[in-house]
Every structure is written in C-alpha cells, then in structure tokens.
Amino acid sequence: MTNIENIKVIPPFKLKAKDPKCSARTGVLYTKHGIVKTPVFMPVATQACVKALTEKDLEDIKVECILSNTYHLYLRPGTELLEKMGGLHNFMRWNGSILTDSGGFQVHSLSHLRKITKEGVWFKSHHDGSKHFFTPEKVIEYESKIGSDIWTCLDVLIPSTANEREAKKALEITKRWAKRAATKYHSMVNQGIKQNADGSFEVPHSLLFGIVQGSIFPKLREDAAKTMATLPLHGFCIGGLSVGETRAEMNLALEHCIPHLPEEKPRYLMGLGTPQEILDCISHGVDMFDCVWPTRVARNGQAMTSNGRLNIKNAEFRTQDKPLDDKCDCFVCKNYSRAYLSHLFRSGELTSHRLISIHNIRFLTHMMEQVREHIEAGTFLEYKAEMEKNYK
Ligand SMILES: [Zn+2]
C-alpha cells in the first residue's frame, strides 16, 4: 500500500496578490485543461450540463472552470460510459477545467437511505431506489473515469441541526476517509507537476482536494483544517456551510479553519452563490465558489444586476427598452431589451431561461474579474462596500 506520510505535493497554484486590509487574495490555479484565475465562480453542471446553456455560451461568458458531481454522473449516465466516451470533457465538449464534487452531499441530501459503515456509505438511488455502496477509494476511481481536473474526497455530511458530538463523529470519519482517498490517489497518480521559470506550472494529471468539515463548531473546524493541512492534497474544499446557518456562524467557522490551511494551496467554499456571501468569504481568503443559484433563479425570471435582483415578471419591465443591466457586457444585455425578455418569460418561452442564465453567470464572472482587479489595486474592501450598498 502507498505510504502517504512522506509524500509532498506541489500545489500548482501561483499566489499573485494579497489585499493589505483583509485576507482577500488573487491567484492562478493550473490544471491539466488550463488556468483558473482566482477568486473564481464556477457554474454548476450537475448532469454534465449547465442548465439551459451550451459549452460555447460558457466560453463566451469567460467561464474557466465548471463543477460536476460524482454521485449524479455515477448513477446516470454511469462512469463506465463516460470513460468509454473519452471522459466528461469529451462527452460534453468542454475544454475548460472541471471540478467534481465527491457526492457526499448528495448521498446525504437526495438518497432515500444512508447507512455509514467504517468502510463507506450505503445509499439508494433517487432515480430507481437501487442500492449502492461508495467508499473513499471507489469515489477516486469514479472521478478518474470521469476524468475531471480536480477530484474531491468522499466526506460525511450532517444536518445543520446536528449537535457537537454528532458533528465530531462525522468529522472523525471524514478525516479517516480523506487519508484513504489520498492513499488511493497517490497509488494511481505519479507526481509530475513542474514549475517553470516564469512561475507557471505544468500539470499532467488531475488534482486532489480534501474537504474541511466540522459544522459551525470552532474547535472542530480548527481540527479539520489542521488535519487536512497534513495530508498530501493540492487544495481544500470547505464543506458543510451554506446549509441554513447564520452569516455570523459561517464567518466564525471560516475564521477557525482558514488560518490553519497552508497559504500556498487554494480554498474552495462549496455551494455558496449570492454576491454578498461570496464577497464576505473572499475577504476571509476563499478562492473558489460554486452555486446553482444564478441559473435556478434565472429560470424563475430573476436577473442579478449591479443594482440588485430584478424580477422580469414585474409589470414595469413589459415596456422598458433597455438591457437587464447597462453595466453588463454579455450577449443578452448587448442585444435584448427588458421588454423582450419579459415577453418571452410571460409567453413561457424556454429561451428566456437560457438568456437570463447567460446574463446571471456573466454577472458573477464579471464580478470576479472586478474583484481580482480591486484586490490587486488594494481597493477590495471599498468595492465590497459599494456592491453591498447597491446590490439589494
Ligand atoms: Zn448581461
């Protein structure tokens, strides 16, 4: 068995700038499919597709990394098929980077049954009730077949109402599973990341991120971060947040884990997507974000704009001959009026879902471009305050 004790990984992450007044930072993560400039927003492609969009749309709105999900892809279309089709990139014709969530969250939230053993977790498919068993090692094998650029370790999720004793028990299993996932990973993947003279990296294989759990309990978050920091991982996910806790509880959890994570590795906060929350977490030093929120609200007619949320169903927009957001450079804002989008939505035309989704994702990728510029100019906190004032 591979002994991971002495393995030192090279994180292919170049830190560029740090804000002098808070923990915000910019960087570049290198993957086998290119670069991801951080802080980054990653749209969610759970079923090998960002809902209502094509890969060309994602390229046009300057998306560099998307998120997909091992639980969903394993159940449908199946990891064997994906491997046969040349991996997820080839299957969905996406040339950018892909991060796959391990499925711990979905096993917890979607499955009709979840039974955790020392070895792994039993669950029932939410499609047909069939029974399946995930182990940390099997999840690494599935992610390898999917061929994503960033793999994550299987973890144990608990309800947000769980007490500290339950959270500790789940964390102990998550820590053991992360070690097993890292052992499996290093038995399959030879290190071969090289840094060039200009500071860029050559990355010949997929990367592995561990998941920091510990719910809202500061001591557990600290313990989780310290343990993950000792493992040969390329980066860290911060999981189990954005599940119903207050903003103060989330901030406290972040304050107790981020300082214990090595600065030279990227940090990704799972499942968080409103502009205010993202900006808050960036000020704590989080680099990567994902959320279904921008595309989900788009299908309900809600657009994110520099003046806050706009509901295209409101009567006032039926006659307005101006774009969703005059500060946005997306294809939709350049071409279509609020009146047209209002008409499409009211007529039940699916194109309205697509157009508002394009705009909402561009709103966030554009916001991240501005965030990076402001961090590098040392004016991030001013930008954050301005956004919080305007975005209602
Ligand atoms: Zn737009």
Side-chain angles (χ1 to χ4, degrees):
M1 204 168 93
T2 310
N3 183 358
I4 56 168
E5 306 265 300
N6 299 318
I7 296 176
K8 291 266 175 290
V9 300
I10 300 175
F13 182 59
K14 192 162 104 178
L15 259 184
K16 281 182 73 189
K18 287 197 276 182
D19 192 287
K21 289 171 277 180
C22 65
S23 302
R25 58 206 209 142
T26 64
V28 183
L29 175 66
Y30 291 76
T31 76
K32 60 180 179 168
H33 278 89
I35 62 161
V36 181
K37 296 189 276 301
T38 65
V40 63
F41 177 77
M42 306 178 285
V44 180
T46 304
Q47 313 278 6
C49 163
V50 176
K51 283 197 194 308
L53 306 191
T54 67
E55 285 55 53
K56 173 81 171 63
D57 297 327
L58 298 174
E59 255 175 54
D60 289 346
I61 50 183
K62 302 189 174 69
V63 168
E64 291 180 333
C65 187
I66 59 171
L67 186 101
S68 198
N69 188 278
T70 308
Y71 169 91
H72 285 285
L73 296 177
Y74 161 85
L75 290 177
R76 187 176 65 194
T79 49
E80 302 299 327
L81 179 82
L82 287 174
E83 190 180 32
K84 210 169 114 194
M85 300 296 287
L88 181 58
H89 287 88
N90 195 45
F91 189 52
M92 65 185 286
R93 295 288 194 270
W94 166 245
N95 288 321
S97 299
I98 302 177
L99 184 152
T100 36
D101 187 3
S102 61
F105 181 78
Q106 285 68 27
V107 166
H108 163 73
S109 61
L110 291 176
S111 170
H112 305 304
L113 161 141
R114 185 179 79 146
K115 191 174 182 308
I116 295 169
T117 69
K118 201 171 140 246
E119 270 308 296
V121 56
W122 286 101
F123 63 93
K124 271 188 185 172
S125 159
H126 69 287
H127 296 304
D128 59 8
S130 54
K131 231 172 146 187
H132 302 266
F133 188 58
F134 269 6
T135 67
E137 292 83 2
K138 277 190 186 176
V139 166
I140 293 292
E141 281 170 25
Y142 300 145
E143 290 182 289
S144 166
K145 288 180 177 165
I146 293 167
S148 46
D149 299 273
I150 304 168
W151 304 349
T152 53
C153 305
L154 185 64
D155 59 338
V156 179
L157 260 287
I158 49 165
S160 57
T161 50
N163 62 32
E164 190 161 356
R165 192 179 52 80
E166 291 161 329
K168 187 171 175 11
K169 202 173 146 200
L171 174 60
E172 289 308 320
I173 303 172
T174 297
K175 281 159 47 180
R176 284 200 297 276
W177 287 3
K179 267 182 212 162
R180 282 170 50 192
T183 305
K184 176 71 183 172
Y185 171 88
H186 287 285
S187 75
M188 290 166 64
V189 174
N190 285 322
Q191 282 295 301
I193 296 174
K194 280 194 207 106
Q195 188 165 23
N196 301 315
D198 63 358
S200 66
F201 292 89
E202 281 170 42
V203 183
H205 52 68
S206 305
L207 307 173
L208 182 64
F209 280 26
I211 305 184
V212 175
Q213 288 291 355
S215 188
I216 53 166
F217 305 104
K219 258 181 19 199
L220 300 186
R221 283 282 166 189
E222 215 173 296
D223 175 35
K226 284 179 176 168
T227 305
M228 289 298 154
T230 64
L231 297 178
L233 303 163
H234 300 98
F236 307 100
C237 314
I238 301 169
L241 291 176
S242 196
V243 290
E245 76 283 354
T246 64
R247 216 161 149 183
E249 285 170 333
M250 181 168 82
N251 284 334
L252 188 70
L254 291 179
E255 282 160 21
H256 282 83
C257 67
I258 290 184
H260 304 289
L261 297 173
E263 193 185 62
E264 71 278 11
K265 295 184 182 182
R267 305 134 180 186
Y268 151 44
L269 205 154
M270 309 174 96
L272 183 120
T274 69
Q276 296 98 326
E277 291 171 329
I278 290 178
L279 294 169
D280 240 9
C281 294
I282 289 173
S283 71
H284 284 285
V286 177
D287 307 299
M288 304 165 76
F289 300 89
D290 80 286
C291 197
V292 293
W293 198 78
T295 43
R296 182 173 290 162
V297 298
R299 298 194 298 280
N300 291 321
Q302 289 185 45
M304 304 162 82
T305 79
S306 39
N307 294 314
R309 263 199 269 177
L310 170 160
N311 195 331
I312 204 69
K313 285 177 277 191
N314 291 353
E316 61 189 298
F317 302 124
R318 291 175 77 163
T319 52
Q320 285 186 3
D321 187 14
K322 59 179 189 179
L324 284 175
D325 186 349
D326 51 19
K327 294 199 180 81
C328 178
D329 61 359
C330 86
F331 159 77
V332 180
C333 290
K334 275 190 198 151
N335 287 283
Y336 301 112
S337 63
R338 292 176 174 185
Y340 180 62
L341 294 166
S342 163
H343 161 71
L344 289 185
F345 195 86
R346 284 165 184 271
S347 312
E349 290 294 339
L350 295 180
T351 301
S352 70
H353 297 183
R354 174 174 148 71
L355 296 181
I356 302 174
S357 294
I358 288 177
H359 165 78
N360 279 357
I361 294 180
R362 180 57 194 151
F363 176 83
L364 284 174
T365 54
H366 189 218
M367 183 180 99
M368 292 309 207
E369 287 166 11
Q370 291 174 312
V371 162
R372 294 194 297 264
E373 280 169 24
H374 280 282
I375 294 173
E376 284 167 19
T379 52
F380 170 71
L381 288 181
E382 289 84 340
Y383 171 78
K384 179 174 180 282
E386 188 69 19
M387 275 294 284
E388 279 173 353
K389 196 174 79 195
N390 296 332
Y391 192 93
K392 291 178 194 77

